[in-house]
Amino acid sequence: MTDDVEGLGIDSPKHPAFAAHFTDPIYDDPANDFAPFGNDEGWDMLASWSQRADELGPTSTVLDLLEADGEESFGPESLDDDDIDAAMFAVGAAFALLRLTGQIDAAGRGLAMRALDVLDSCYDRPAEITRMREDLLAW
């Protein structure tokens, strides 16, 4: 895990499995609000966990990341249809976990898919959200 991304401006390792599958430029875009790390929530999640990657392992979950960052009570059924901030945190946590460990738990994947649905409905289907959904489904 040593592939640093200059565009993100932080020491952000990429697991080889993530790098091989998530090849679209949105996964390295620090300025696109619809990219997983281009908004404040996703950026903060990746920046925080990049520095704490040694705390992550093959059994780490998306909820582990969210709860450790003070985001409690997350689940696909608890994500409101218009809760953009929570959706951004969920997407950021899911893709940070994938980027850093090359894996995602089933519940976390479900949460990420629900969060992408929320963002899709709030923003009228941005292409970046569609790309993330397709890539996550293919994972």
Side-chain angles (χ1 to χ4, degrees):
M1 289 193 326
T2 60
D3 185 17
D4 298 337
V5 177
E6 288 182 27
L8 289 174
I10 58 174
D11 182 22
S12 177
K14 257 197 230 184
H15 190 279
F18 178 91
H21 184 78
F22 296 95
T23 59
D24 193 282
I26 65 167
Y27 298 109
D28 294 327
D29 191 337
N32 181 340
D33 283 339
F34 296 119
F37 311 118
N39 54 69
D40 290 343
E41 296 83 3
W43 173 269
D44 290 348
M45 195 62 67
L46 181 61
S48 171
W49 285 100
S50 289
Q51 310 238 339
R52 302 166 56 188
D54 60 330
E55 296 176 34
L56 300 173
T59 60
S60 296
T61 68
V62 172
L63 287 179
D64 290 341
L65 274 68
L66 290 165
E67 290 172 359
D69 279 11
E71 303 297 327
E72 297 179 18
S73 304
F74 263 96
E77 67 287 341
S78 66
L79 196 56
D80 293 334
D81 288 339
D82 61 353
D83 196 345
I84 294 168
D85 289 341
M88 294 283 197
F89 270 116
V91 169
F95 282 95
L97 181 64
L98 277 162
R99 182 184 184 104
L100 297 170
T101 67
Q103 64 85 26
I104 188 168
D105 59 294
R109 184 175 180 216
L111 176 60
M113 295 302 285
R114 170 71 177 122
L116 291 170
D117 288 344
V118 168
L119 296 174
D120 242 358
S121 67
C122 290
Y123 291 110
D124 196 28
R125 300 196 179 284
E128 297 89 343
I129 302 300
T130 300
R131 172 83 278 142
M132 285 187 280
R133 177 181 288 104
E134 289 172 357
D135 288 346
L136 196 53
L137 282 171
W139 182 256

